[in-house]
Each structure stands twice: as C-alpha cells, then as structure tokens.
Amino acid sequence: MPAIIDGKAVAADIRAQVAEEVSRLRERTGRTPGLATILVGDDPASAVYVSGKRKASAEVGIADFHRQLSAEASQDEVASVIEECNRDPAISGILLQLPVPAGLDGPALTALISPDKDVDGLTPISAGRLLKATPGLRPCTPLGIIELLDRYDVALEGAEAVVVGRSDLVGKPVAQLLLQRNATVTMCHSRTRDLAGVCARADVLIVAVGVSGLIGPEFVKPGAAVIDVGINRTPDGLRGDVNFDAVLERAGLLTPVPGGVGPMTIAMLLRNTLTAASLHEPVPAPAR
Ligand code: NAP
C-alpha cells in the first residue's frame, strides 16, 4: 500500500519543537534568536516568500530584523546592509532573498554573509563545509528532504539514491547529504542518457527539475521512496515534477505537491536560525 508523505504534519512538528527550544534558549541565556530577511526590490513572488518566512519566524519566537531595500539599491548599498547584519549580535541568521534585481550580483552578495549566520546554507564557505562534512549550516530544502526520509524510516545506508537536477540549491547539496548517510548516489541532469532507466534503479528517487509531470511510473522502481521537489504553476494549479496519480500506485512512499517538501523548507530555515543562535552562544567561563 503506497503512503503519501505528509510534509505539512512533519513541518508543524518541527516548528513546535523549534518554538520550545527558542523559549528554553531564552530562559537559559536571556537571548532570543534573530533572523534578518533582506529583500531588494518589489518582486511580488519574492515579497510573498519573505512575508511567509517572517510570519513563521514570529510564530516560533524568532525576532524579526527585516530589511527592505528599493529596486534601485546599488551593489554597495546591499553589501553594507549585509555587513551591518554580520556585525549585529542580535541577528543570528541572515537571508538574502533571491533572485536580486537585474544589475546586482546575487552570488557575490550571498558570499558576503557570515558563514555562521548563513541560514540558507548557500555561501561558498557553507558549500565547502558541506562537501568536507565539517560542521556548518546546510541548505534548507535538502535538510527538509532528509528529515522527511528519516521520519518515514527510509533506510539510506547502502541504498541506491538517484537525484535528478544538479542545482546548488537542491540537487548538489542533497546528493552530498545522502552520500554522508552512506547511500550510493547517482546524479542526473538534462544530458543524462536513459533517464528513466537510471531512475528505475533507485530505492530513493529525488526529483528537483522544474518540469511538470516529467517522472512517470516507468521511472520508478516498485516500492521506492519518491521525493518531488518541483513546483510548477500549471493551468490545473501547482504541480510537481512527478506525475502523482500515475506514480502513486508504484511508489512505496511519495510526496504530494503542494504539502510535501515545500512546508519543510521554511521549517528547516527556522531550525537553522536556532542552530545559528546556539553557535553564537557565549561559552561559559571554565570553573575554577
Ligand atoms: P534549477 O536550478 O532550475 O535546475 C534544474 C535542474 O534540472 C538542472 O540541473 C537541469 O539540468 C535539470 N533538468 C532540466 N530539465 C531536465 C530534464 N528534462 N531531465 C533531467 N534533468 C533536467 O533547479 P532548482 O532550483 O533545484 O529547482 C528545481 C525545482 O524545484 C523547481 O520547480 C523549483 O521551483 C523547485 N524548488 C522547490 C523548493 C521547495 O521548497 N519545495 C525549493 C527549491 C526549488 P542541467 O544542469 O543539465 O541544466
């Protein structure tokens, strides 16, 4: 019997856990984690994403340090806001909403974020820490995917894991996290030959492409865990990269869109902000 992964329920559980830990941190140290969301310009989709992140943060007791800059802000102006946030001890995490307006260099701005406040896990230093498996903040969507697999008891050690899509945001980091859990990882992309054949070997199939319904039942090994990261706006509403109805009968576990990976991304941002706040916790003086 295939099971539909309930990302909303898992995300709600994580948010409740983070809220509890935020209040414990405050009781213990008097400090409150703080998140700086930096939004440049007035792109409506970006504004909706940022307000969702701010609302979710407020609900778990994370302090809001939102910075709104005009679409005309220069590279130097945005850089100096990031640097101010880097220096501010009340700010534990910094998120620069991407994409930034044309004319600004998003990757160069992201690279200015202090790696210990990099709650999106997207700076080159965070990417290096992930690759080297040293402590650091990891990107939110990949963390959310691993959390879902763990919550549904999907064995990763020795499993054949196939990741479709090789973005810095999802594909590459989730492949690294799977490798660290001792899965045998294959990465696919637009030039992969026989995509269906490669995917059909997977015990765990993760799809982050952005093509509605790309993955049909012939891509899925019976009983596999299938994680659909895609978000595609279609005339029929939001759809994933997996043909949900057709794959459901074949997969052992499957995430819906919406309600699968999406809610996990914000939940992991909250957890990362708490982790960053704990990193900055002053180390108590040694006992004499
Ligand atoms: P992206 O930067 O848009 O890159 C897409 C990847 O898919 C590329 O690696 C590309 O290969 C590959 N690809 C494109 N067409 C393909 C095909 N026909 N067969 C196999 N591979 C193909 O990726 P992204 O930013 O990770 O986003 C992917 C999707 O996930 C989007 O729908 C996005 O909206 C969604 N997303 C969702 C969340 C969430 O929270 N749920 C978070 C992030 C992203 P090449 O490298 O060869 O071009």
Side-chain angles (χ1 to χ4, degrees), residues 16-26 28 33 271 274:
Q17 263 179 13
V18 171
E20 238 175 66
E21 287 175 39
V22 164
S23 85
R24 272 208 298 271
L25 180 78
R26 196 180 302 118
R28 206 174 64 240
R271 187 187 273 174
L274 176 68

Side-chain angles (χ1 to χ4, degrees), residues 9-184:
V10 177
D13 190 49
I14 290 171
R15 285 153 83 135
Q17 263 179 13
V18 171
E20 238 175 66
E21 287 175 39
V22 164
S23 85
R24 272 208 298 271
L25 180 78
R26 196 180 302 118
E27 274 165 27
R28 206 174 64 240
T29 66
R31 295 173 56 248
T32 300
L35 176 65
T37 45
I38 303 174
L39 178 59
V40 189
D42 42 24
D43 173 62
S46 294
V48 169
Y49 289 140
V50 167
S51 79
K53 292 167 187 175
R54 294 175 65 197
K55 184 166 167 279
S57 299
E59 280 167 10
V60 298
I62 291 174
D64 181 19
F65 291 89
H66 179 63
R67 302 292 297 264
Q68 174 71 53
L69 284 88
S70 89
E72 284 73 44
S74 68
Q75 184 85 5
D76 282 351
E77 282 167 325
V78 184
S80 62
V81 168
I82 293 172
E83 278 153 4
E84 262 171 46
C85 294
N86 281 342
R87 286 192 299 271
D88 187 339
I91 294 176
S92 344
I94 303 170
L95 179 157
L96 173 66
Q97 183 65 37
L98 298 171
V100 289
L104 295 180
D105 182 345
L109 289 168
T110 297
L112 295 175
I113 295 171
S114 160
D116 292 339
K117 296 190 177 188
D118 176 22
V119 285
D120 260 345
L122 295 178
T123 64
I125 292 179
S126 296
R129 288 174 172 173
L130 170 59
L131 197 71
K132 301 291 271 179
T134 54
L137 294 161
R138 313 301 194 210
C140 302
T141 304
L143 276 182
I145 294 168
I146 300 293
E147 183 79 31
L148 285 179
L149 293 169
D150 283 344
R151 295 269 180 142
Y152 280 80
D153 294 325
V154 176
L156 296 177
E157 176 135 353
E160 287 275 352
V162 173
V163 178
V164 191
R166 54 176 164 180
S167 69
D168 289 349
L169 189 62
V170 185
K172 283 182 199 157
V174 81
Q176 284 303 322
L177 292 174
L178 288 164
L179 204 53
Q180 284 165 25
R181 295 288 297 273
N182 299 318
T184 302

Side-chain angles (χ1 to χ4, degrees), residues 141 164-167 169-170 189-190 195 208-210 229-231 261-262 265:
T141 304
V164 191
R166 54 176 164 180
S167 69
L169 189 62
V170 185
H189 44 75
S190 65
L195 184 64
V209 172
V229 186
I231 301 177
V261 175
T265 298

